[in-house]
Amino acid sequence: MMKALPRLLALSLAVALPGPAFAAQTYALVVGVDQYPNDVSLDGAVRDAEDVYRSMSAAGFKVVKFTDAEARKDDIRKAWTDMVATAAAGDTIIFTYAGHGAQMPELIAGDEADGLDEFLQLPGFDRNRYEETSGEIIVDNEMNAWFSEAEGKGVHVLFVSDSCFSGGMSRSIKGKSRLAPAVTVKLAPPSQEAIEGANLKEINFKQVTVLAASLESQPTPEVIIDGEPRGALSWSFARAVEGSADRDGNGIITRIELEDYIFSNVKNRSEALQVPNFMPQVARSESEVVVTLTRGIPVATADTGTATTTSDAGGAAGTDKVIKPASDLGWTGKIALEIDGDAQKPANTDGIGTPFRWDVASGVFYTPNGDVAAENVGPDRIQAVVDKFVLLDFLKAMASQNPGSVSLTPVKDIYAAGTRLRFDAPPGRYPNMLVFNLANTGEVQFLDMQAAGTDSAQFKLTDVEVVKPFGADHLITIWTAEPVDAIGAVLADRNVTAATLLQALQTRLDGKEASVAIQPLYTRETL
């Protein structure tokens, strides 16, 4: 979680950002670290940085990237200084970081409510040789000073931190956490900025937005996305910048558009392990802009001086986005599966990447993240469970372009037997809605269909009790303007399989405009 700038929470951030300046430029500073010579290394942070770098370069941003040993504080600081010097009022600087975060006793007495400063840990830092290597951390106080420099020029800042500083989880995840061990002894400030930055907590930042990977109570684990270890926030942010978060296709991503996109996709890709955290927690205005894409940079017309939008994406800005079929988004119709024991290999399990795992003797089916997805899975049930996750990957691909939002109450990583839950699917902006559950058994459970209305109505499941069998269910809601009667007929068949439903969804909705929400529900007998 990003508690690296806790003082920002105390700032008064009520003033709305103005709209983007004409021909505003976006600069980006990208840092990703896997290799930590003096600490546990990570597996997906550099992959995150490369992904974000590609998406921002394609969007026309001026990007500087540092990965692994290149990520030295002096070089990062100079890149930031150069960007601030070059940027004009109304421009934007985006700083993304994927790597370890950590905590240390506060550098300035009384500066932090919890007595701890947070810092980004670069590869050159060795907590056992602090005096010699303290120059290779970036403390929250220092970042306040950096942001203040941009603020002073009227430059907007978006800081995206895919790291964590504290927290724990109930579920057993085998992926690495982006949390480095805390420094436990009182240390000298690593720079003068680390002292001066402590005094900036009273500054009324008006143009700084921080997007953190998770809440303070949660860790930031690396999770498997498309077969590879990744940070769910970085993956989602890269897709957002590619244009998926630009819901109205006008070339700008507002804070509200980014919130809607990031919250939903981080939940989908982390299997509900993370809830991102924005600071300030509420958008300054409904129209607050956080990212301007090249295809929609405002320009002044010669006759009136008013802003119009341009497009270099093959279509006019402001029109509906092109919806890609799932196969264009990396979906293959297969998963990778490792079988522990003697059993026939199910169909559609020759995918690549980190595999699911089936322990034949115990009957336990594990996700690539290490979660228990299903129990009592024998040869008679394994194909149904495999088909469920093939379908789920298809739905995640659909959701990555147009995610919806649903909720499960209470919010937990995992739910014990006997827990009572409430599931809410709010009305969508499309008239037709489908609601169904993909059970841990592989069974498809039809819950609701609303068709041919002007607006879909809210769907609720109240007082639902967690019972056997345990594992991972996924509650799915789809909103669309496409006809859904044929899909509803398939769902209404009590013997419908995930494979049959997949075929119906491919035929009717693949590549069509539809909003998809996925609510993971992980259960076990006791916590």
Side-chain angles (χ1 to χ4, degrees):
M1 94 38 148
M2 174 59 194
K3 189 170 165 284
L5 295 170
R7 56 183 47 80
L8 288 180
L9 290 171
L11 302 179
S12 173
L13 291 165
V15 180
L17 282 175
F22 292 156
Q25 178 63 55
T26 300
Y27 302 85
L29 175 58
V30 178
V31 178
V33 181
D34 277 339
Q35 298 303 314
Y36 286 91
N38 306 304
D39 219 318
V40 175
S41 291
L42 298 171
D43 296 322
V46 170
R47 192 175 288 114
D48 287 345
E50 298 288 356
D51 189 16
V52 170
Y53 174 79
R54 285 190 298 269
S55 68
M56 293 203 290
S57 297
F61 303 169
K62 296 183 178 180
V63 192
V64 177
K65 172 173 62 71
F66 299 96
T67 57
D68 282 340
E70 300 170 344
R72 295 179 291 269
K73 184 176 180 180
D74 285 347
D75 294 336
I76 295 170
R77 183 65 171 104
K78 183 178 186 304
W80 176 270
T81 301
D82 291 346
M83 287 181 184
V84 173
T86 305
D91 288 348
T92 298
I93 300 177
I94 301 175
F95 180 8
T96 72
Y97 173 80
H100 275 315
Q103 294 178 314
M104 63 193 305
E106 60 184 0
L107 298 172
I108 308 299
D111 179 46
E112 302 286 353
D114 61 359
L116 297 170
D117 272 307
E118 285 75 35
F119 62 89
L120 308 180
Q121 181 169 320
L122 302 177
F125 178 66
D126 182 351
R127 70 198 62 249
N128 296 317
R129 296 187 302 115
Y130 178 81
E131 290 187 3
E132 301 103 301
T133 65
S134 63
E136 295 306 317
I137 63 174
I138 304 176
V139 183
D140 51 7
N141 295 357
E142 295 173 302
M143 298 198 70
N144 274 346
W146 298 15
F147 295 166
S148 179
E149 293 171 354
E151 175 91 0
K153 288 193 67 175
V155 174
H156 311 311
V157 174
L158 174 61
F159 176 49
V160 181
S161 178
D162 205 342
S163 62
C164 65
F165 299 85
S166 63
M169 66 176 73
S170 301
R171 279 159 48 191
S172 176
I173 299 298
K174 66 181 181 181
K176 295 177 179 177
S177 173
R178 294 182 176 180
L179 172 64
V183 172
T184 57
V185 296
K186 178 75 172 179
L187 301 169
S191 69
Q192 185 62 30
E193 279 184 335
I195 299 173
E196 296 171 352
N199 298 322
L200 295 175
K201 64 182 179 181
E202 301 304 328
I203 287 183
N204 182 16
F205 281 106
K206 300 180 181 68
Q207 301 180 128
V208 177
T209 300
V210 177
L211 173 54
S214 55
L215 300 172
E216 180 178 354
S217 59
Q218 297 174 313
T220 301
E222 293 191 329
V223 296
I224 303 302
I225 299 177
D226 296 333
E228 299 178 319
R230 291 295 305 270
L233 176 61
S234 295
W235 184 92
S236 299
F237 186 70
R239 306 290 79 75
V241 171
E242 287 173 348
S244 292
D246 181 14
R247 179 166 286 175
D248 55 11
N250 68 348
I252 59 175
I253 300 174
T254 66
R255 160 69 185 264
I256 290 175
E257 285 179 320
L258 187 62
E259 280 182 2
D260 289 346
Y261 186 82
I262 291 293
F263 277 122
S264 295
N265 274 289
V266 168
K267 184 200 313 193
N268 292 345
R269 294 295 170 167
S270 72
E271 287 290 292
L273 275 173
Q274 296 172 239
V275 177
N277 189 25
F278 278 86
M279 293 179 279
Q281 292 182 321
V282 178
R284 299 175 177 97
S285 75
E286 184 177 348
S287 60
E288 177 188 353
V289 175
V290 289
V291 180
T292 302
L293 305 175
T294 300
R295 68 174 184 275
I297 292 178
V299 295
T301 59
D303 53 346
T304 66
T306 57
T308 62
T309 55
T310 61
S311 174
D312 63 4
T319 61
D320 291 338
K321 295 183 297 182
V322 174
I323 303 297
K324 298 179 181 179
S327 59
D328 287 358
L329 300 169
W331 180 77
T332 63
K334 301 175 182 179
I335 64 170
L337 177 65
E338 173 187 319
I339 300 176
D340 290 346
D342 185 15
Q344 186 174 352
K345 189 173 185 179
N348 302 322
T349 56
D350 54 348
I352 61 174
T354 305
F356 289 79
R357 184 168 68 87
W358 176 35
D359 187 319
V360 178
S362 68
V364 178
F365 188 87
Y366 298 90
T367 72
N369 291 327
D371 270 316
V372 173
E375 300 174 340
N376 305 316
V377 179
D380 60 328
R381 282 184 47 203
I382 184 61
Q383 189 64 60
V385 174
V386 166
D387 290 345
K388 169 205 165 160
F389 282 98
V390 171
L391 171 56
L392 186 62
D393 282 348
F394 173 81
L395 293 166
K396 286 182 177 181
M398 290 182 65
S400 71
Q401 299 180 93
N402 193 0
S405 178
V406 294
S407 63
L408 194 64
T409 308
V411 178
K412 295 183 179 180
D413 294 339
I414 193 164
Y415 299 84
T419 303
R420 295 190 176 275
L421 307 170
R422 174 184 171 128
F423 172 70
D424 288 279
R429 63 184 186 278
Y430 303 107
N432 304 325
M433 182 169 74
L434 296 164
V435 187
F436 55 93
N437 181 44
L438 300 179
N440 60 71
T441 59
E443 178 185 1
V444 178
Q445 299 167 338
F446 182 33
L447 299 175
D448 191 29
M449 180 179 77
Q450 299 176 23
T454 55
D455 293 292
S456 57
Q458 182 166 346
F459 173 80
K460 299 180 182 180
L461 283 176
T462 58
D463 202 30
V464 178
E465 184 178 359
V466 173
V467 297
K468 292 182 179 180
F470 304 112
D473 283 34
H474 291 80
L475 291 152
I476 311 296
T477 305
I478 301 175
W479 300 265
T480 182
E482 299 293 323
V484 294
D485 298 87
I487 302 172
V490 171
L491 281 166
D493 183 347
R494 296 178 65 87
N495 297 315
V496 63
T497 65
T500 302
L501 177 57
L502 171 60
Q503 186 177 8
L505 291 171
Q506 284 183 283
T507 302
R508 298 286 178 167
L509 295 182
D510 195 19
K512 305 291 181 61
E513 191 168 0
S515 181
V516 179
I518 303 169
Q519 177 60 61
L521 171 57
Y522 283 79
T523 61
R524 67 170 63 145
E525 181 109 35
T526 59
L527 298 183

